[in-house]
Amino acid sequence: MGNDKLRATPAARSLAHRMGVELNAIVGSGYKGRIHAEDVAEFSYEKAGGITPLAKKIADSFGLDTSTLEGTGFRGKITRADVAAALGDRYYPNLEKIIDPFTPSEKVAAPASAPAPQPAATTATPTPSAPTAQGGVEIVPMNMMRRVIAKRMSDSYFSAPTFVLNYEVDMYEATKLRKQLLEPIKEKTGKKLTVTDIISIAVVRTLMNHPYINASLSSDGSQIELHNYVNLAMAVGMDEGLLVPVVHGAEKMGLVELMLRLKDITERAVGKKLTPQDQEGSTFTISNLGMYGVESFTSIINQPNSAILSIAGTKEMPVVRNGEIVIRPIMKMSLTSDHRVINGLGAAKFMQELKATLESPLPLLV
């Protein structure tokens, strides 16, 4: 059955497309099995079949073969109740040691027929009273966007061995260039040129000389895909979560065209008007927190990218130029790289060229 014939909401189709999930693998919770966006988000966490970590821990401790068990959990997953039913009246006196003591709600009770353990001493020991919580606790359920972000960030953080390179860039010439171009570009387009726009065009031009920074690792980890184009993603943070819209074919654009495309996708991201195509196919990502006064930070890679550039704020700092101390606008940036694809030397050469380009940006206009 094709995806077009499945009963699914537009939001579910859009989310499944962005996450790379096949709709025909999802069991819908709606009327007549209609798939909702929540079903797609849940599918990314709970795969069909399998066994919960707690159930597996208990089964392994008893030497129970779970391959023949039929799970009663979500989509046939084997739960601790299934394992307990299979064990029957078997008793293991140290069962509680199997369970993580920091998750008391998951403890498995011993069968009722088991003898109750005798206290080690007859003298009662006073139990300290639990501390009283000060103030209230508000429980906020994770919305669908946040759940998808959480999974993607966890997958990236725990699957990719990364390293980070930090650089300081003298933005004197870049800010000077922006001031010179600000009015002419605003008169022509009605839009204001920002330093982020200049950084973005510099990143795109530099990436074309460093294919491994602009690469992706195949799903099975056996091949590296080198892209001869740049699909530039720009992280856009909102209260609800993080969106990463993409400018496709950025290597073919000049400064003004790239500026307009970046502003367009950013505005549509904030207005929640992005299409699935606007959020897929990226080859490299920029995350800019400089406008919030962040002095330095490192980002988690937006897979399947192999690297992400973090842009921090620009501060006036004393530096030495031609033997004299002068005040210059210094910006800090860092590159987080996937060491499976990128080595330290390659990353350093990319950052060195990017730094040089930003410190002498005039050729970007050619």
Side-chain angles (χ1 to χ4, degrees), residues 143-155:
N143 60 26
M144 182 176 57
M145 181 188 297
R146 176 59 61 185
R147 289 162 64 190
V148 173
I149 293 170
K151 182 181 186 303
R152 287 185 173 179
M153 292 297 97
S154 296
D155 289 345

Side-chain angles (χ1 to χ4, degrees), residues 167-178 195 197-210 255 309 331 333 348-366:
Y167 279 73
E168 291 186 349
V169 183
D170 186 341
M171 296 295 288
Y172 176 79
E173 294 295 335
T175 53
K176 178 181 176 181
L177 178 64
R178 175 185 175 270
V195 173
D197 299 323
I198 295 175
I199 294 172
S200 298
I201 192 69
V203 167
V204 171
R205 298 285 175 84
T206 308
L207 283 172
M208 294 303 293
N209 298 328
H210 300 268
L255 174 61
L309 183 70
M331 179 190 75
M333 62 181 183
K349 287 183 176 180
F350 168 79
M351 291 292 278
Q352 188 178 48
E353 182 176 336
L354 178 59
K355 172 182 167 70
T357 301
L358 288 173
E359 291 181 342
S360 299
L362 196 58
L364 294 173
L365 304 180
V366 178

